[in-house]
Amino acid sequence: MNLETLEREFASLAAQNLSLNLTRGKPSSAQVALSDALDGILQGDFICADGMDARNYGGLRGVPECRELGSYLTDYPAELVFAGGNSSLQLMYLVLETIVHYGLAGTQSLRGKSCKAICPVPGYDRHFAATEHLGVEMVCVDLHDDGPDMDQVEDLVLNDPTTSIMWCVPKHSNPTGCTYSEAVVERIAKLPSLRGESQENPFFVLWDNAYAAHDFGDEPVQLASIHDHAKASGTLDRVVAFASTSKITHAGAGVAFVASGERVLNELEARLSVMIIGFDKVNQLRHARFLPNRTSLEGHMRKHAAIVRPLFEATESGLQERLGNTGLATWTQPTGGYFVSLDVPTGLAKNVVALAESAGLQLTAAGATYPYGEDPDDANIRIAPTFASVEEVEAAMSIVGLSVQLAAARREVST
């Protein structure tokens, strides 16, 4: 298709005055409605399994049966799971700040020292924002279909003692949708041991299992247990895992979890004890009653899958129709999670996002999937289809595809 034809088609599309938004990975109203039974589920029974009254103070580590729910999501024993408030990002920030400003599990504070975080890319912009806010330099490593490039990672850990942290989204990763292989999980669990017993230059793995149960198919994708591998490697106190129900129940009123070795949990509890007497245990108990076992969790997530699967199918078919066999783009075909990662020709991502916006489609800013918002190739675009209808996704993919074609055609003519 020549440039003149593309320009006419794009002008016609823009004239429709569409207003579409695929910027954030939010669950739809239909998804959050799946958990409306949370309201009233306690029916006046607020007593937890250990006899604690959920309405009262105390119980900073959380309701026991809710910690069991956290165990399903983190793959850690319940006794090593801390149930918090509604935000796993808040717990991640707490852990990151503790490592950097105070030291964690016997390590020295990194305050005032050169400190770097390893960031597999493309990755999660909120991880990057928290890391930058705390003054930690970010170093990129490539993310493959089976996880981070571990040769790059191990080289940094062994040869640069200022690398102190690594971010991971190990299952249905944001935004590529990849799930780490067992070989990669095992190598990641061993990373802190490459530093020996160093307290001055420690290394921590931050394991954000945000999409632990978010599979599209009836057979969940299996992720190897970071707990089991860390325990075998003697690194439990250097690996900290996170999960939440934010995209399982009510996104703004879920329960977040942090899991690690006992020493880490003790120190986090000590820090939290000066900030809060207890999280919302009534909400924790509601969740435990609503999702009392793995079977109920899996059944609930199949209902989510039935809602989101058609949206990803519409994304795939729309991209294939517009960009398949053109050589202008590649994209991921995730088996779960909330995103599709689209790569366009080098130097065109920002242009494509701007064109899409001019046609009525808001996309995540180009570069957001890289630290500091700087994609060195200006090629990656994150697509988040869950908060739209199938019809809206179909319209959005027409805009995306045409924007890629038009941007490429304009550049070809100009050169």
Side-chain angles (χ1 to χ4, degrees):
M1 195 177 296
N2 62 37
L3 178 59
E4 184 178 346
T5 301
L6 289 170
E7 295 281 11
R8 281 200 306 270
E9 187 175 355
F10 189 83
S12 175
L13 196 59
Q16 296 178 28
N17 294 317
L18 298 172
S19 180
L20 305 169
N21 191 317
L22 302 187
T23 57
R24 302 297 320 180
K26 293 172 61 175
S28 66
S29 295
Q31 287 179 263
V32 294
L34 294 173
S35 301
D36 285 350
L38 281 165
D39 190 18
I41 195 171
L42 298 182
Q43 298 183 340
D45 179 6
F46 297 94
I47 306 304
C48 305
D50 64 350
M52 177 171 55
D53 188 333
R55 297 168 296 184
N56 219 326
Y57 290 125
L60 187 51
R61 289 206 186 185
V63 169
E65 47 265 64
C66 192
R67 293 170 72 187
E68 287 285 349
L69 173 57
S71 175
Y72 309 149
L73 296 174
T74 61
D75 214 12
Y76 274 67
E79 60 268 22
L80 294 181
V81 176
F82 193 120
N86 73 318
S87 171
S88 59
L89 186 63
Q90 181 185 45
L91 293 176
M92 288 180 232
Y93 185 87
L94 171 73
V95 171
L96 185 62
E97 181 192 45
T98 302
I99 292 169
V100 174
H101 287 177
Y102 301 94
L104 182 62
T107 66
Q108 296 180 15
S109 165
L110 300 174
R111 189 196 299 263
K113 300 178 182 178
S114 179
C115 177
K116 298 174 185 172
I118 297 173
C119 300
V121 291
Y124 181 31
D125 52 344
R126 294 197 186 274
H127 288 165
F128 305 152
T131 307
E132 183 178 6
H133 181 76
L134 287 168
V136 178
E137 181 183 347
M138 290 175 279
V139 180
C140 299
V141 298
D142 296 330
L143 183 64
H144 303 308
D145 289 343
D146 64 345
D149 186 315
M150 291 308 297
D151 290 339
Q152 294 179 20
V153 172
E154 289 166 350
D155 179 66
L156 284 166
V157 175
L158 284 168
N159 298 311
D160 185 350
T162 66
T163 52
S164 304
I165 297 151
M166 179 179 177
W167 284 109
C168 299
V169 184
K171 183 174 177 181
H172 304 315
S173 185
N174 176 356
T176 71
C178 77
T179 296
Y180 296 6
S181 69
E182 179 153 17
V184 166
V185 173
E186 182 177 14
R187 290 173 75 176
I188 290 173
K190 290 179 178 178
L191 290 173
S193 66
L194 299 182
R195 292 282 172 82
E197 299 298 321
S198 174
Q199 305 301 311
E200 183 179 353
N201 297 304
F203 189 81
F204 287 90
V205 174
L206 303 184
W207 191 258
D208 182 6
N209 205 359
Y211 306 104
H214 301 70
D215 300 274
F216 297 157
D218 291 333
E219 292 297 324
V221 173
Q222 296 302 309
L223 173 68
S225 171
I226 190 67
H227 166 268
D228 291 352
H229 282 294
K231 185 175 180 180
S233 300
T235 60
L236 267 182
D237 287 337
R238 295 290 185 272
V239 177
V240 188
F242 307 89
S244 82
T245 69
S246 290
K247 291 175 180 173
I248 294 174
T249 57
H250 288 169
V255 181
F257 305 96
V258 57
S260 189
E262 183 65 27
R263 186 174 185 181
V264 170
L265 296 191
N266 285 339
E267 293 185 17
L268 293 178
E269 186 173 14
R271 282 211 69 207
L272 281 167
S273 68
V274 299
M275 309 177 200
I276 186 171
I277 296 174
F279 289 102
D280 184 349
K281 296 188 298 299
V282 172
N283 191 40
Q284 292 180 5
L285 187 58
R286 291 194 315 153
H287 278 75
R289 299 264 176 89
F290 184 65
L291 299 170
N293 50 50
R294 289 183 186 272
T295 300
S296 61
L297 174 63
E298 291 169 358
H300 184 72
M301 295 312 294
R302 282 194 289 271
K303 296 176 184 177
H304 276 277
I307 295 171
V308 301
R309 188 187 304 113
L311 300 171
F312 282 85
E313 290 172 347
T315 302
E316 168 64 24
S317 61
L319 291 174
Q320 192 62 243
E321 180 178 352
R322 268 292 178 182
L323 297 172
N325 301 317
T326 65
L328 293 177
T330 58
W331 58 91
T332 57
Q333 298 172 302
T335 55
Y338 267 63
F339 305 100
V340 172
S341 181
L342 172 69
D343 284 315
V344 301
T346 298
L348 286 186
K350 290 180 180 178
N351 195 354
V352 169
V353 170
L355 281 170
E357 183 176 6
S358 71
L361 171 62
Q362 296 287 325
L363 293 170
T364 303
T369 55
Y370 283 74
Y372 311 108
E374 297 175 2
D375 175 358
D377 293 327
D378 185 25
N380 187 252
I381 299 170
R382 187 180 75 182
I383 296 174
T386 55
F387 200 60
S389 66
V390 168
E391 293 74 21
E392 288 170 334
V393 170
E394 290 171 344
M397 291 309 100
S398 292
I399 293 174
V400 169
L402 187 54
S403 296
V404 173
Q405 290 178 303
L406 182 57
R410 284 177 174 176
R411 183 166 71 177
E412 183 178 355
V413 168
S414 68
T415 56

